[in-house]
Amino acid sequence: MQQVNIHEAKTNLSKLIEKAVYGESFVIAKSGKPMVMVTAYAPPPDPARRIGFLKGRLEVPADFDFMGNAEIQAMFAGAE
């Protein structure tokens, strides 16, 4: 991994960033001591995309579409 001092990093920042974007990380040092590591940014996965997150953990009953049908009909018909 490439190590550059702060002055060199300031002078060549655009070139260094371009390298980092393509996977070549580098370390910025001060007086020879590593201070920070620069790597390409990887955005977190989209939290809105959650389709299938319960797959294998949940079982839907076969009569799911008709569950509570009798109770609902009784409520609308006024019977208790």
Side-chain angles (χ1 to χ4, degrees), residues 44-71:
D46 185 8
R49 186 168 186 220
R50 296 186 48 140
I51 296 174
F53 72 101
L54 287 176
K55 187 174 184 176
R57 298 183 183 177
L58 183 68
E59 189 173 317
V60 179
D63 65 340
F64 179 79
D65 292 334
F66 305 105
M67 289 175 64
N69 227 8
E71 292 86 2

Side-chain angles (χ1 to χ4, degrees), residues 28-55:
I28 298 177
K30 181 176 183 180
S31 301
K33 292 184 180 179
M35 301 296 286
V36 296
M37 183 171 77
V38 180
T39 62
Y41 174 72
D46 185 8
R49 186 168 186 220
R50 296 186 48 140
I51 296 174
F53 72 101
L54 287 176
K55 187 174 184 176

